[in-house]
């Protein structure tokens, strides 16, 4: 009888010990995951620019929203900077994957684009050289990206995209649409990739907007529907302050049911050309 009670007691003690050990392991795992998310968020905050450049007649704004469940931090970025020529460069993109590795690679992509933009002839060359640079670091990740150059002399936007979501435009006269450009492969995928350049003369005041797929695509919400909704928002607010317009565009993400992070970049310009008169350079 005594032996039976002892066996039951030892069994209960073993179960309690095992439960305590599993609980401790779960707590350690949760704390480790929390630490990685917090590190990725810190990297994201440090990498994203504190401000964006502007020129007379051109105002800019951006918004970033983290993943809904805090598990997909670190993929999206936007950037803006002055070029030696006097033009302005802007980029927006999304790195494959998430967490600390994606945040760190996102920083590499952003710096690579900045580095080559200073001497590259056009946005297509910027992406071509950034692609080769990223391939040289032998990383398994890749990134989608759009690079835009605003020329204050010709009052023109030049853009090229690497597997990224197309840009969206609207004028204060009521015209609007999605930029129909060819684009190329994401950065870091294939050596020798080409990125066609699209030119948008800006003779009519309006807004040019870039987003990441977290804004326009969700589990059961196709990207075409998201882009159409963004286009409507920009049409209605083409003359609004860039910060207000960026905030309204970001609200589109609420209807997509997205779980990814999301970014919006707005260029609000005065006087320019009709964005539907898009011309491409001769081959």
């Amino acid at each position: 009888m005594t032996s039976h009670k002892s066996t039951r007691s030892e069994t209960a003690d073993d179960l309690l010990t095992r439960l305590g050990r599993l609980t401790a392991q779960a707590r350690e795992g949760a704390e480790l995951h929390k630490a990685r998310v917090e590190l990725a968020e810190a990297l994201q905050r440090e990498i994203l620019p504190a401000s964006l450049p502007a020129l007379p007649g051109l105002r800019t704004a951006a918004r970033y929203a983290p993943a809904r469940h805090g598990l997909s931090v670190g993929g999206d970025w936007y950037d803006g900077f002055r070029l030696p020529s006097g033009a302005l460069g802007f980029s927006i993109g999304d790195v494959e994957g998430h967490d600390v590795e994606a945040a760190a690679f996102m920083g590499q992509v952003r710096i690579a684009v900045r580095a080559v933009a200073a001497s590259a002839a056009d946005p297509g060359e910027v992406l071509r050289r950034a692609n080769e640079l990223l391939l040289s670091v032998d990383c398994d990740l890749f990134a989608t990206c759009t690079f835009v150059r605003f020329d204050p002399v010709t009052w023109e936007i030049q853009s090229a995209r690497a597997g990224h979501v197309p840009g969206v435009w609207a004028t204060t006269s009521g015209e609007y649409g999605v930029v129909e450009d060819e684009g190329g492969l994401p950065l870091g995928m294939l050596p020798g990739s080409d990125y066609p350049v699209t030119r948008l003369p800006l003779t009519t005041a309006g807004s040019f907007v870039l987003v990441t797929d977290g804004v326009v695509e969700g589990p059961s919400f196709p990207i075409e529907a998201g882009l159409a909704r963004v286009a409507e928002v920009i049409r209605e607010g083409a003359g609004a302050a860039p910060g207000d317009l960026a905030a309204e565009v970001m609200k589109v993400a609420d209807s997509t049911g997205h779980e990814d992070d999301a970014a919006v970049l707005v260029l609000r310009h005065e006087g320019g050309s009709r964005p539907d008169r898009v011309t491409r350079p001769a081959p």
Side-chain angles (χ1 to χ4, degrees), residues 139-204:
C139 180
D140 292 333
L141 298 178
F142 62 85
T144 68
C145 177
T146 293
F147 181 76
V148 168
R149 174 179 287 166
F150 172 79
D151 190 329
V153 176
T154 61
W155 208 252
E156 177 183 73
I157 283 178
Q158 299 177 0
S159 69
R161 63 189 181 98
H164 198 69
V165 181
V168 186
W169 58 268
T171 68
T172 53
S173 60
E175 298 170 294
Y176 69 104
V178 177
V179 178
E180 297 182 0
D181 55 354
E182 184 177 347
L185 292 174
L187 303 178
M189 287 194 70
L190 185 68
S193 296
D194 288 325
Y195 302 94
V197 177
T198 299
R199 290 182 164 87
L200 295 86
L202 305 176
T203 54
T204 303

Side-chain angles (χ1 to χ4, degrees), residues 38-51:
E38 290 176 349
L39 176 57
E41 289 175 340
L43 283 170
Q44 185 96 21
R45 287 192 299 270
E46 291 299 318
I47 291 171
L48 293 179
S51 62

Side-chain angles (χ1 to χ4, degrees), residues 7-21:
T7 301
R8 290 185 59 187
S9 176
E10 288 173 359
T11 301
D13 289 343
D14 290 344
L15 289 173
L16 289 173
T17 299
R18 184 180 179 189
L19 179 60
R21 184 167 59 251

Side-chain angles (χ1 to χ4, degrees), residues 79-91 109-131 133 145-150 158:
D79 197 11
F81 47 92
R82 296 182 182 274
L83 296 166
S85 64
L88 301 182
F90 299 93
S91 67
V109 178
R110 177 173 173 255
I111 295 303
V113 170
R114 273 201 179 216
V116 301
S119 58
D122 58 48
E125 180 67 16
V126 171
L127 295 184
R128 282 193 294 271
R129 290 169 58 180
N131 180 57
L133 181 58
C145 177
T146 293
F147 181 76
V148 168
R149 174 179 287 166
F150 172 79
Q158 299 177 0

